[in-house]
Structures are given as structure tokens and as C-alpha cells.
Amino acid sequence: DEAYNHMDIRQAVKNYLEWKAVRSPKAAITYKLHVTRFAEYKSKDTKELVNHDIVEFNQTLALKYNPPTIAYSCRVLKNFFNYLNALREATISTFFIQAPKYMKKIRVGVSDEEFSAMCATLNPYELGDLQKLSILHILHDTGMRVGELCDLNVDQISSSECHTSIETKKNKQMRWVLWHKEFHQNVLLRWLGSRICLNKHPSLFVSIDKHGRERITPRTVQRWVKEIAKEAGIAKRIHPHMFRHAKAHKMKASGADLKDIQMMLGHVSPFSALMYLNFDKNEMLANAEKYL
């Protein structure tokens, strides 16, 4: 189109982020930093960009950032230039946008011993601790994302059923999650009764401090989990997403295949579950011993 002739890189970034936000608002926010950084480095029209501009840009990133950050930047730039190429506003071959190779960190989960130690620090007869105990159990039993946990509402919890349906945060699909009956009867129903008495807001988990916010945020859950782990004397850094990794490993240890893990964790593809299944030393040795 005539309107797109000689598109400046800054305008291209603006158009791209607006397009991205239609399907994935969160991705548009995350990607903004990376495409803006490139636009500031190569301030020219999109049709003037060449493949070597990408190489030079990555070389400058290597002076300041670690390989995982550069790899993520490459992923974003590939998406950006696929968009521009589809509009015929660039001729960059995304084949040449290559991410650096690096040793990925082993994804560690929360062990049963650590989970028990964390729960032991909480008083189930104190309102704030009762809520935190409920949160720990739901993260541990279901492997749901912390954002999905914060979105739970009172009307999603049944007095008789130990499960509920939730909207998967990333793909907006519905899935069922299940938790232990003992937790349901001894902890969750007690929290539910107390929660209903607090106010009429729909959210299951709320801030009950002086600020009186209606719904807790992922940042609040992260802070609580960190504080509880410290109180339990756990040396390693614990964050909510580690319960998700632990759930995947438990399922694998119980014989679940990738499809089972995909359905439980709410991934679009079963191959997405592979990122949660790093083998530790004992698992590697046990598998190797099978084939000696």
C-alpha cells in the first residue's frame, strides 16, 4: 500500500506492537523492549535494513547481556521481521537471525520435604496464614500458573468437589484442575467460609491488610512464597513457578506421558511440556542403567 512506502523503523515498531496486542497483549508488552532497542540501534527505513544489521546488533548485545537474553531478543526479532516481510516492508531473511548456543539452567521444583516445611510454618487458625496455606496447596496440587491462581473466584469452589475449571492464562482454553481431598476438607473449606465473611467481592484470594485490595496479585504471591520459604529455613530461592515444575516431574515419575502433562499444565503443544522435564543426576543414571 502507498501508506507503507518507506516505513521508518520506529513507525514499523509501533504498527507491529499494535498488531501483536490484538492476539497477545502480554507478548506485546514483553516484546516492546527488544524491538525498540533494535529500532534505536538502527534508525532507518525498514526496506534499507540488511541481514548484517542483525549481526551487528547482536554483537552489541553480547557486550552487555547474557546469552539467554540475546536468544530471546532473536526470537522477538524473528517475529518482527516475519511481520514486516509479510507486508513486503523488509527483505531480512529470518533464517540468518540465529540465537547463540548456551547451557540452559536446570529447572528445579519444590520437593515434598520443602513443601511440608513451608506448610509447617503457617498457623491454620490464623486468617492470613490460612489463606497462604490454601495458596501453597493449590500451587502444589495443581501446578497452575500464579496468574491463574490469582484469578480464581469464590464461586469456582464447590463444597463437595475437589476440582474446578479455570481459563488457561496463555491460550484462553478451559481446563480442569484437581486437588487432594484432605486439603479440601481441612483447609480450603475453612478458608472459603472465612473468605465469604470478609466481603462480597468475587475473588477467592484477597489482600486483607490495611490497603484492603480486592484481589491479590502475582507479585504478592511471589513475596509470600519467598517469606514462607525463608521462615522454613530453606536455603535455595523458592518462587511460585517452581511448584509447576514439581508437578510436571511428579507426573512423569508416575508414568504420565507428554500429552498428560500438557493437559494438566495447560500448554498448547505437548512439546511445550519438555521444558519442565530436565533430568537430574539420579534420573539420568537410572535411565542409563536400563540399557547397560
Side-chain angles (χ1 to χ4, degrees), residues 108-269:
V108 180
V110 179
S111 69
D112 288 340
E113 293 76 16
E114 291 166 340
F115 170 67
S116 297
M118 292 174 72
C119 291
T121 68
L122 300 170
N123 180 2
Y125 298 99
E126 194 277 321
L127 188 61
D129 279 8
L130 180 61
Q131 174 171 226
K132 293 173 184 177
L133 189 60
S134 299
I135 288 172
L136 286 184
H137 275 276
I138 289 180
L139 289 173
H140 176 266
D141 290 357
T142 69
M144 69 171 62
R145 298 177 178 89
V146 65
E148 294 165 348
L149 177 135
C150 292
D151 287 343
L152 288 175
N153 288 325
V154 169
D155 61 9
Q156 290 177 264
I157 308 301
S158 164
S159 61
S160 59
E161 303 291 346
C162 302
H163 58 256
T164 191
S165 61
I166 64 172
E167 181 184 271
T168 300
K169 202 70 175 175
K170 289 193 174 181
N171 58 28
K172 301 300 181 182
Q173 300 296 314
M174 299 303 296
R175 77 177 193 273
W176 289 92
V177 292
L178 178 76
W179 48 82
H180 284 100
K181 184 176 181 180
E182 182 180 357
F183 155 65
H184 183 84
Q185 294 176 339
N186 299 334
V187 178
L188 186 57
L189 290 185
R190 289 182 51 234
W191 165 249
L192 184 64
S194 301
R195 168 67 193 87
I196 292 172
C197 294
L198 288 176
N199 57 48
K200 294 183 179 180
H201 290 306
S203 48
L204 178 62
F205 298 117
V206 295
S207 176
I208 53 179
D209 59 16
K210 61 182 180 180
H211 300 291
R213 288 186 289 269
E214 172 188 344
R215 188 182 296 274
I216 60 171
T217 65
R219 187 176 295 274
T220 299
V221 177
Q222 291 165 4
R223 175 169 54 83
W224 284 348
V225 168
K226 181 179 179 181
E227 292 171 351
I228 295 168
K230 183 178 180 181
E231 181 67 22
I234 299 173
K236 77 181 184 185
R237 181 183 176 187
I238 302 287
H239 54 82
H241 204 74
M242 292 170 66
F243 288 96
R244 191 165 165 83
H245 294 295
K247 181 67 176 180
H249 279 281
K250 281 185 179 181
M251 291 184 67
K252 180 170 67 69
S254 298
D257 58 24
L258 287 179
K259 185 67 176 177
D260 296 329
I261 298 172
Q262 173 210 357
M263 293 176 65
M264 176 60 67
L265 299 184
H267 287 296
V268 176
S269 165

Side-chain angles (χ1 to χ4, degrees), residues 19 29 49 53 75 99 101 103 105 107 117 129 132 149 160 196 222 271 280:
W19 168 78
I29 295 172
L49 293 168
D53 289 332
R75 173 184 166 188
K101 294 181 179 180
M103 181 70 72
K105 291 182 179 180
R107 298 174 182 269
D129 279 8
K132 293 173 184 177
L149 177 135
S160 59
I196 292 172
Q222 291 165 4
F271 295 105
D280 61 21

Side-chain angles (χ1 to χ4, degrees), residues 9-26:
I9 185 67
R10 290 180 293 270
Q11 183 62 45
V13 166
K14 180 177 181 296
N15 293 349
Y16 166 72
L17 293 175
E18 289 175 351
W19 168 78
K20 194 69 180 177
V22 173
R23 177 175 175 83
S24 181
K26 186 175 180 181

